[in-house]
Amino acid sequence: MKKITILIQLTLCVGLAFAGFSAQAEDVKGSAQAGNAKVWLCTGCHSIPDYRADYPLVYRVPMLGGQNAAYIASALAAYKKGERKHPTMRSIAASLSDQDMADLGEYYAAQTASSPNNPLK
């Protein structure tokens, strides 16, 4: 009986810990204005039409203006976790917080597909 009680308590604690982590991740709200100060990391590649990066393979670098904010944040998180493999993006994403990713997502979502993707004025 004591083992069952301990198991129930342990299960409850683990469940609450995951619930707290999930709630914290959902509380991050991006700001396009805050992203404006962070976008300098991105413009060197993502503001050049038809740009191709050639290390270690040839990659077509997409323009990000008008992209969905949540998609950008989740793509950056995937690079940070190593789920996406481009080495430069993995390095950049490793330095970003969840807030940075959300801000960059909102910044690009505020742009249009034909925007030059330069910082907001």
Side-chain angles (χ1 to χ4, degrees):
M1 181 71 171
K2 193 172 187 178
K3 286 183 180 181
I4 292 174
T5 303
I6 292 171
L7 184 59
I8 290 171
Q9 290 175 342
L10 182 61
T11 302
L12 181 61
C13 287
V14 170
L16 289 174
F18 280 117
F21 176 74
S22 176
Q24 182 182 8
E26 292 175 12
D27 288 340
V28 177
K29 297 202 184 307
S31 161
Q33 196 61 39
N36 182 43
K38 301 169 186 176
V39 76
W40 64 270
L41 288 167
C42 312
T43 58
C45 296
H46 289 284
S47 65
I48 303 169
D50 298 320
Y51 181 64
R52 290 182 179 7
D54 60 2
Y55 178 80
L57 302 170
V58 176
Y59 292 93
R60 185 187 150 280
V61 179
M63 299 290 284
L64 299 177
Q67 184 60 264
N68 180 282
Y71 174 78
I72 290 177
S74 68
L76 288 168
Y79 282 115
K80 186 172 185 170
K81 292 177 194 171
E83 295 169 357
R84 287 188 173 202
K85 304 299 182 194
H86 190 276
T88 304
M89 286 301 302
R90 286 181 71 186
S91 297
I92 291 170
S95 71
L96 300 175
S97 68
D98 290 345
Q99 185 64 58
D100 294 334
M101 292 180 216
D103 292 342
L104 289 168
E106 289 297 329
Y107 171 82
Y108 278 110
Q111 304 297 308
T112 65
S114 61
S115 295
N117 295 322
N118 291 325
L120 298 171
K121 301 201 183 243

